[in-house]
Amino acid sequence: MSSNVLRFGGGGRHQYSDYGKGSVIRVELHNFMTYKDAILEPGPRLNLVLGPNGTGKSSFVCALCLGLAGGTTLLARADNVKDFIRRGEDEGSVTITLASGEPRPLVVYRRIRTDAQSGGISDWKLNGATCAMKDVKQKMKDLNVQLDNLCQFLPQDKVVEFAKLSPVEMLRETQKAIGDSRLADLHKKLIDENKLSNTSNRERNSVATELHQQQDLNGRLQRDVERFKNREQLLAKVKLIESKLPWIEYNDAMKEFTEVKDRRRQADACLEARKKEFQESQQPLGAKAEELKVANDATKALLQKLKRLDAQQADLIPTANSLTDSLEEAQKDLAGLDRKVQEQAAKVKRAEEEVAKTTADLENLPPPPQGVNEKKADLQKQVRELDQQTRSADTSSRELEDDQKQHKIQLDRIKGQLNEMDNIKGQRLTMLCRILRGDGIKKAYDWVVNGNRTGLFRGMVYGPILLEVQVQNKQHGIYLEENCPLTLWQRFVTTYREDQDLLVKEFAEKNKGYNFRPIVSNYQGNPQAVITHPKGEAQQYARYGITHTLDQVFEAPPVVKHVMTDEANLNEAYVGTRETHPEECLRDNPQLANLWTPESHYSVRTSMYNKDARSQSVSQVSGNKNLISGSASSQERDTLQQQYQEVLQIYNGMHQQIEQQRATVHSNTASMTDMRNEVSAMDREVRTLNARRLSLTTRLTGKRKVLDRLKDAPDPRAKAPELHQKIQDTSKAIAKLV
């Protein structure tokens, strides 16, 4: 290149105040990559660097990265900085002027020197003062220059990596690129809060489950409480009945007293009737008295005496009546003694029978179950252990489900990438449509595919050629893209002239919607013929680092491969590696004119007028077409497929673990329910037996008390001698009165 300084851009038309903090004002290159001396003065806003391949556009990108303390790994071009020194020179330098946000701009200077031991040494200066690389990095941090952030600095070889960023990673890098550290901190805090929220939700669900279980237990205990209250009510009722028993006995005695009183009234009525009969029997005496009136005078003294006797009799009648009543009462009491004895004996017999029956019922009660408390304690312990296992299994199941969701997302992502790789033809066809600015090439492809399927053609028709090529090595794909013109990639290939004429006629019809005129090549040679290499096989130049010719680095149908070789001279283009020595190889082998290495493309042209006049040009391998190299290699696909199988195996293993955990939860829940039911049945059985025993015991106690009272009651026959004596005394008194 010329030693004159190359100047790009129009930054000189702008004021320093127009540039924002961290903006690039000026870039100066000396012996850097393809430039001897060059100056770039970008404007304060959007800048575009345009030019053909190999003109040095990427050199400025590399200069920005290395000049601002960026590592070579960010560029993915070379491992050592010495490789960026212009070929044939011992040192190079980069000077970058940045807007510092202060009145004075910041000038960063880096000189790169070759070294036999380390390979490359760098000297740094900030505003003319010598400094260390860490000082430059600190300045870049202060200016928010983030070379490792793909949202700020995106080299050509990092485009694929940038495209693979997830939305979350893209957001994080964008926040960093903006320069406000609070955004990244708030984003991290938001992620932490989200994790905390998920943890709280899991804990809340666990507490809700425990609450539901406690509510169920409380419901069961509530039923036990209600049964206990009913038992207390029954016991209170028994106590009330026991307290009413004396009152019932009193009522029985009162009833008996009323019956005796009624019999006395009946006796009084009978006495009144007898008195009436007595008075009626006195009426004949009145008649006799009339007859005796004649003799009144004679018997006057007797009558007066009689009156005196009547007066005495009148005084004795109440005493006689009282004695008569006492006599009748004593006779009635004596007559009722036998009835009372019989009734008392009957009551005693009934009471003894009830006591005997209650005693038998109490003795016939089954004994309490043995070891109930121990068995209940053992079951309750098992329930607690199963409940703990169930909670642990449920928590593990939830955690596994969360992890499984993440693996499902990863599976879907890998599957999507595999689908994209499998649809390479569709990607390449879409790329051709975009380049040709229309879908005419797709319509032509669909028509050819349909013709091959229906037998429209005499022979097989191929194309577009881009869809027929398979490249395993991405770098080899870049060489093919650069070596073959675009018109070759969109070409169709036939093996019969009539098929070629049919395609040309079809594509010439404007009403079919083809927005371009596809090129159709008809190959008339032998497709199975071996491709020759007139300038020598690649093995002949192996000592220079040559590995292949371009026709050997891809797979395609033989017809297509022959057409590409004939059109683009692929059998005369040689492929090297980073260890290849291209200058030495071309110097020693003047017949070679086309050589590709990962960094550069070497082309030698011979003058048409003088075969000894040769010119050599070196251009950088850009690989920006992405026609073939943008497609994934089989190795990448195998790697993704292996990742998919590994993640799928983990996913299936998690699914099995989740099912096992769910089965454990279900089994433990059923076992706990059975055990709780068994404990409840034991409690019911014990409570029923205790209640029955208590009821019978209380009843037996009451019956025995009644029997004891009946037995302890005085014998009615003990009053019989007294009543006989009373009757005798009363009879004597009545006889004495008479």
Side-chain angles (χ1 to χ4, degrees):
M1 295 186 62
S2 173
S3 61
N4 296 329
V5 177
L6 301 178
R7 186 180 297 272
F8 305 93
R13 298 193 300 269
H14 299 279
Q15 299 295 325
Y16 173 66
S17 59
D18 295 337
Y19 292 85
K21 183 179 179 180
S23 299
V24 178
I25 300 176
R26 180 185 176 95
V27 181
E28 298 180 28
L29 306 182
H30 174 67
N31 290 336
F32 188 84
M33 294 183 70
T34 59
Y35 290 107
K36 176 67 175 178
D37 290 289
I39 297 175
L40 173 66
E41 294 179 339
R45 298 293 183 264
L46 177 65
N47 293 271
L48 298 178
V49 180
L50 306 176
N53 292 336
T55 55
K57 300 186 296 298
S58 298
S59 298
F60 284 103
V61 176
C62 297
L64 287 173
C65 178
L66 300 179
L68 298 179
T72 57
T73 56
L74 297 177
L75 300 171
R77 286 180 172 267
D79 297 331
N80 199 310
V81 292
K82 72 178 183 63
D83 296 328
F84 292 88
I85 300 175
R86 190 168 183 264
R87 192 179 304 277
E89 302 293 341
D90 295 330
E91 67 176 39
S93 65
V94 178
T95 305
I96 302 175
T97 304
L98 301 174
S100 62
E102 299 177 356
R104 180 184 176 187
L106 177 67
V107 179
V108 182
Y109 171 80
R110 181 177 188 175
R111 183 177 65 168
I112 305 172
R113 295 179 288 118
T114 57
D115 181 74
Q117 296 180 353
S118 62
I121 299 177
S122 296
D123 300 323
W124 296 88
K125 290 184 180 181
L126 285 175
N127 290 332
T130 302
C131 64
M133 184 177 184
K134 64 179 182 179
D135 299 326
V136 179
K137 288 185 176 181
Q138 182 60 43
K139 281 293 184 180
M140 295 305 102
K141 184 177 181 181
D142 296 340
L143 296 177
N144 193 35
V145 175
Q146 304 175 23
L147 295 173
D148 58 346
N149 189 332
L150 297 181
C151 292
Q152 255 197 29
F153 182 74
L154 181 59
Q156 177 177 322
D157 296 308
K158 294 288 185 176
V159 173
V160 176
E161 182 178 343
F162 177 78
K164 292 182 179 179
L165 289 178
S166 66
V168 174
E169 294 171 337
M170 182 72 74
L171 175 60
R172 186 182 296 113
E173 296 300 319
T174 303
Q175 290 171 344
K176 293 179 181 178
I178 292 175
D180 191 347
S181 60
R182 293 177 300 172
L183 285 176
D185 295 339
L186 289 174
H187 188 202
K188 184 177 183 301
K189 184 177 180 181
L190 178 61
I191 294 174
D192 295 339
E193 291 293 337
N194 187 35
K195 291 180 179 178
L196 181 61
S197 175
N198 293 335
T199 303
S200 300
N201 287 336
R202 286 195 295 270
E203 293 178 353
R204 179 178 59 81
N205 294 334
S206 177
V207 171
T209 302
E210 183 176 1
L211 175 61
H212 181 68
Q213 294 174 351
Q214 293 296 330
Q215 288 175 345
D216 292 342
L217 178 60
N218 185 55
R220 292 192 295 272
L221 293 176
Q222 185 66 30
R223 291 192 292 272
D224 293 340
V225 170
E226 291 177 357
R227 286 193 290 269
F228 178 77
K229 289 181 178 179
N230 292 335
R231 176 179 175 275
E232 293 296 324
Q233 292 175 359
L234 291 174
L235 291 176
K237 189 174 181 181
V238 169
K239 188 175 181 181
L240 178 62
I241 292 173
E242 289 178 351
S243 64
K244 286 183 177 182
L245 188 58
W247 175 254
I248 294 173
E249 294 176 354
Y250 168 77
N251 287 338
D252 293 341
M254 191 65 184
K255 182 178 180 182
E256 185 178 354
F257 171 74
T258 303
E259 291 175 355
V260 173
K261 190 174 181 180
D262 291 341
R263 287 196 297 271
R264 180 179 177 180
R265 282 197 298 269
Q266 292 174 3
D268 290 342
C270 183
L271 179 60
E272 289 297 329
R274 296 294 174 84
K275 286 182 179 180
K276 187 175 180 180
E277 291 176 0
F278 176 73
Q279 290 176 359
E280 290 176 353
S281 66
Q282 295 296 322
Q283 291 179 0
L285 294 176
K288 295 292 184 180
E290 289 293 335
E291 295 177 356
L292 293 175
K293 284 183 180 180
V294 181
N296 282 338
D297 293 339
T299 60
K300 188 174 181 179
L302 293 173
L303 289 175
Q304 291 178 350
K305 185 177 180 180
L306 183 60
K307 288 181 180 180
R308 288 195 298 274
L309 291 173
D310 288 338
Q312 292 177 0
Q313 185 181 10
D315 294 335
L316 293 174
I317 285 175
T319 302
N321 290 338
S322 176
L323 291 173
T324 302
D325 292 340
S326 179
L327 179 62
E328 291 177 354
E329 182 178 356
Q331 290 174 345
K332 290 179 181 179
D333 290 341
L334 185 60
L337 286 177
D338 293 335
R339 187 176 65 256
K340 288 183 178 180
V341 170
Q342 294 175 359
E343 291 177 355
Q344 186 174 1
K347 289 181 180 179
V348 170
K349 184 177 180 181
R350 286 196 302 271
E352 288 177 345
E353 291 176 352
E354 291 178 357
V355 168
K357 184 177 182 304
T358 304
T359 302
D361 292 342
L362 186 60
E363 292 175 352
N364 292 331
L365 279 177
Q370 298 295 326
V372 172
N373 293 333
E374 292 78 3
K375 190 172 182 180
K376 282 175 55 180
D378 184 59
L379 287 174
Q380 290 172 349
K381 180 179 178 181
Q382 293 181 27
V383 168
R384 288 192 297 270
E385 292 175 353
L386 286 176
D387 183 62
Q388 186 175 2
Q389 294 176 6
T390 302
R391 291 172 183 270
S392 176
D394 185 62
T395 302
S396 300
S397 177
R398 294 178 184 275
E399 292 176 353
L400 285 172
E401 287 176 353
D402 293 340
D403 294 341
Q404 190 184 39
K405 290 179 181 178
Q406 297 300 323
H407 283 80
K408 182 64 168 62
I409 294 174
Q410 189 176 0
L411 281 175
D412 293 340
R413 178 177 59 80
I414 296 176
K415 189 174 182 180
Q417 293 177 355
L418 287 172
N419 290 336
E420 291 180 359
M421 291 183 181
D422 291 339
N423 193 22
I424 291 178
K425 283 191 175 182
Q427 295 177 15
R428 294 180 179 178
L429 192 60
T430 301
M431 193 178 301
L432 284 176
C433 291
R434 185 168 62 251
I435 294 173
L436 298 174
R437 299 181 180 180
D439 60 349
I441 188 72
K442 184 178 185 305
K443 292 180 179 179
Y445 170 74
D446 293 339
W447 183 79
V448 169
V449 170
N450 184 64
N452 285 328
R453 184 176 63 254
T454 59
L456 178 64
F457 310 118
R458 180 180 176 184
M460 188 69 182
V461 177
Y462 304 91
I465 287 179
L466 181 62
L467 276 62
E468 306 291 348
V469 174
Q470 300 279 340
V471 182
Q472 300 297 326
N473 187 294
K474 182 178 180 180
Q475 190 65 40
H476 293 167
I478 295 176
Y479 301 158
L480 275 177
E481 293 172 0
E482 298 288 340
N483 197 87
C484 299
L486 179 61
T487 55
L488 179 60
W489 294 117
Q490 66 190 45
R491 187 172 302 188
F492 290 85
V493 179
T494 63
T495 55
Y496 292 93
R497 185 59 181 269
E498 52 264 41
D499 290 340
Q500 181 186 27
D501 295 340
L502 182 60
L503 263 68
V504 171
K505 181 180 179 181
E506 170 69 20
F507 296 155
E509 297 184 9
K510 297 182 179 180
N511 59 349
K512 293 296 182 69
Y514 304 111
N515 62 328
F516 77 111
R517 183 67 62 85
I519 301 174
V520 182
S521 296
N522 184 56
Y523 184 72
Q524 297 179 346
N526 180 12
Q528 305 303 324
V530 177
I531 297 177
T532 60
H533 303 90
K535 296 185 178 181
E537 301 296 331
Q539 291 80 358
Q540 298 178 17
Y541 310 105
R543 66 187 184 88
Y544 299 103
I546 304 301
T547 59
H548 302 84
T549 53
L550 271 184
D551 64 289
Q552 298 172 339
V553 300
F554 69 97
E555 297 294 334
V559 173
V560 174
K561 199 164 192 177
H562 276 278
V563 170
M564 293 180 65
T565 301
D566 294 344
E567 294 288 338
N569 297 322
L570 301 182
N571 57 342
E572 297 179 4
Y574 292 84
V575 177
T577 64
R578 295 185 185 277
E579 288 73 26
T580 301
H581 305 288
E583 292 88 351
E584 181 182 354
C585 180
L586 295 175
R587 184 183 64 249
D588 296 344
N589 303 280
Q591 72 276 16
L592 301 184
N594 194 356
L595 177 60
W596 294 88
T597 66
E599 296 87 1
S600 304
H601 174 218
Y602 296 83
S603 178
V604 179
R605 297 183 181 277
T606 303
S607 174
M608 295 176 59
Y609 307 101
N610 184 1
K611 293 184 179 181
D612 295 329
R614 295 162 52 89
S615 63
Q616 177 179 325
S617 63
V618 182
S619 60
Q620 186 177 0
V621 178
S622 62
N624 56 2
K625 292 183 180 180
N626 290 325
L627 294 175
I628 298 176
S629 58
S631 304
S633 66
S634 60
Q635 183 178 3
E636 292 175 340
R637 191 188 188 286
D638 292 342
T639 302
L640 275 179
Q641 186 67 36
Q642 183 179 0
Q643 292 178 4
Y644 181 83
Q645 294 299 328
E646 292 174 354
V647 176
L648 181 61
Q649 185 177 3
I650 297 174
Y651 178 85
N652 293 332
M654 288 183 174
H655 181 73
Q656 293 178 358
Q657 294 179 14
I658 291 172
E659 291 300 325
Q660 293 174 358
Q661 297 289 356
R662 287 177 178 173
T664 300
V665 171
H666 180 73
S667 175
N668 289 351
T669 303
S671 299
M672 287 191 293
T673 302
D674 294 340
M675 292 179 183
R676 288 180 178 131
N677 292 337
E678 187 175 355
V679 171
S680 299
M682 291 181 182
D683 291 338
R684 284 196 300 272
E685 183 180 0
V686 172
R687 286 197 298 270
T688 302
L689 287 175
N690 291 339
R692 179 63 176 164
R693 180 173 286 103
L694 180 61
S695 175
L696 290 174
T697 302
T698 305
R699 182 179 177 186
L700 180 60
T701 302
K703 295 297 181 181
R704 284 176 175 171
K705 289 181 179 179
V706 173
L707 181 59
D708 292 341
R709 283 197 298 271
L710 290 174
K711 288 182 177 181
D712 294 340
D715 190 357
R717 290 174 294 186
K719 295 182 179 180
E722 181 182 351
L723 290 176
H724 283 295
Q725 185 63 40
K726 184 177 180 180
I727 291 172
Q728 290 178 3
D729 294 343
T730 304
S731 297
K732 290 178 180 180
I734 292 174
K736 187 178 180 180
L737 288 176
V738 174

